[in-house]
Amino acid sequence: MLRIVNRVVVGVIGLVLLVLGLGALVGGFDLPYRWGFSMPSWWPWRVGGDAVLSEQDRTRWTGEGWWWPVVFAVLALLVVLSLWWLLAQLRQHRLKEVLVETPGAEGETGPAAERSAALLRGRALERVLAADAEELPGVDRARAVLLGKRRRPRVRVGLTLAAHAEPGPEMVRLRTGALTRARTSAGLEELPAEVRLRSSKHRAERVS
C-alpha cells in the first residue's frame, strides 16, 4: 500500500512541477508572441512579465468570512499529510521480511530439490533477538531493528547496560550468543550488526 501511495504522490508532484515549470518558461521567454501561438485564457502566464497571481486573483476572496478559515484548514491538512508521508518514508526502511533458504523436501527433483525459500517476519526475528540480548547479565533493555534487503539483512541493536556492566564483555557475549543464534536460525550466511550502547540511569543510593 505504501509503495502505491509513494508512486502516486511522487508522480503527481512531478507532473505538477513539470507543468508549472514549463508554463513559467513559456511565459517568461514570451514564446507565444515569438512563435505565433496562443495560450488558453485561464493560463496565468501568457506574456512575458506576467506575475504568477495577479492582484485581482490575490484579493478576490479576502473580504469573505470563509476565506481565511478555509486557507488555514487546507494548509494544516497539507502539513499533516506531508508529515505523515515523511514519517512513512523514514519507517519504510525497516525490513518487514527475511528470505530464509531451506533444504528442499524429499522427493523433489531439479534445483528445487536443493534449496527452497521461506519468508520470515522481520518483527518476529527482532523480538527474538531483543529478548535473547536482554538475557545477558549486564543488559537491562534491548531493542533490535532489521534493515537492508530480504536476502541480505542487517540489524541495528540498541542495548541499555546496567551500571555495573562492562561494554567489552557484553559486546562479545552479544556477538557470540544472540547474534550468532539469530543468524543460524534464519539460515543466513552473515548478519552485519550495528550496536549502540547506552548506560541505564539509576538513582544515587542513600547511605545512613
Side-chain angles (χ1 to χ4, degrees), residues 60-80:
R60 177 179 301 177
W61 307 108
T62 53
E64 302 292 338
W66 55 267
W67 171 250
W68 290 116
V70 170
V71 170
F72 288 129
V74 171
L75 292 177
L77 180 61
L78 290 176
V79 169
V80 171

Side-chain angles (χ1 to χ4, degrees), residues 121-201:
R121 289 184 57 190
R123 293 293 179 91
L125 185 57
E126 290 173 353
R127 288 194 295 266
V128 171
L129 179 55
D132 199 0
E134 287 183 352
E135 294 297 326
L136 297 177
V139 175
D140 285 344
R141 290 186 301 275
R143 183 173 181 269
V145 177
L146 284 175
L147 306 169
K149 300 180 180 180
R150 296 193 303 176
R151 291 184 178 273
R152 300 181 61 184
R154 54 190 176 88
V155 62
R156 179 183 298 162
V157 182
L159 298 181
T160 302
L161 301 181
H164 65 276
E166 298 181 4
E170 297 301 334
M171 288 290 295
V172 173
R173 296 189 188 101
L174 177 68
R175 178 173 56 83
T176 58
L179 290 175
T180 299
R181 285 190 288 271
R183 178 179 57 81
T184 304
S185 62
L188 302 173
E189 295 182 359
E190 59 180 10
L191 182 60
E194 174 187 346
V195 183
R196 299 181 179 183
L197 304 177
R198 58 179 299 180
S199 178
S200 177
K201 296 181 180 179

